[in-house]
Amino acid sequence: MKINDALVEKLALLARLRFDDVEKIEIKSDLEKMILFVEKLNELDTTGIDPLLHITENSNVFRKDEISGMCSREDALLNAPVKDQQYFKVPKVINKQ
């Protein structure tokens, strides 16, 4: 596959990126290197090799969800810089206009 300026511009448009002329040359060079690498991989004989779905043979190890280590509201509020009787007070982050 030949990488040309039109392809770089199309990819930049699809990715919503802007490149100056120097960056376009670098991107074009990088894309050509990637294509050459993939083409080199195509030279390998992979007959009899199963596709790899995961890097390791490990599977998810699940544990039972158990409640532990709770603290009281009073203890939790001890570390609060600003609080009232029941809640942490935080700065307002949503402005209604």
Side-chain angles (χ1 to χ4, degrees), residues 4-56:
N4 56 26
D5 292 334
L7 180 61
V8 172
E9 290 175 16
K10 182 178 179 181
L11 292 173
L13 177 69
L14 292 172
R16 305 289 191 256
L17 298 172
R18 286 193 191 118
F19 302 119
D20 61 28
D21 292 336
V22 174
E23 290 172 327
K24 283 182 185 177
I25 293 169
E26 291 174 6
I27 294 292
K28 187 177 174 182
S29 172
D30 289 344
L31 287 172
E32 287 172 348
K33 288 176 186 174
M34 286 186 251
I35 298 294
L36 285 173
F37 178 73
V38 172
E39 288 174 351
K40 187 73 173 169
L41 290 175
N42 286 334
E43 295 175 7
L44 297 174
D45 180 21
T46 57
T47 53
I49 307 272
D50 292 331
L52 180 68
L53 299 177
H54 300 284
I55 294 175
T56 66

Side-chain angles (χ1 to χ4, degrees), residues 64-77:
K64 189 172 182 177
D65 193 12
E66 297 176 354
I67 298 172
S68 65
M70 294 179 56
C71 64
S72 68
R73 176 181 290 156
E74 293 79 21
D75 289 340
L77 289 172

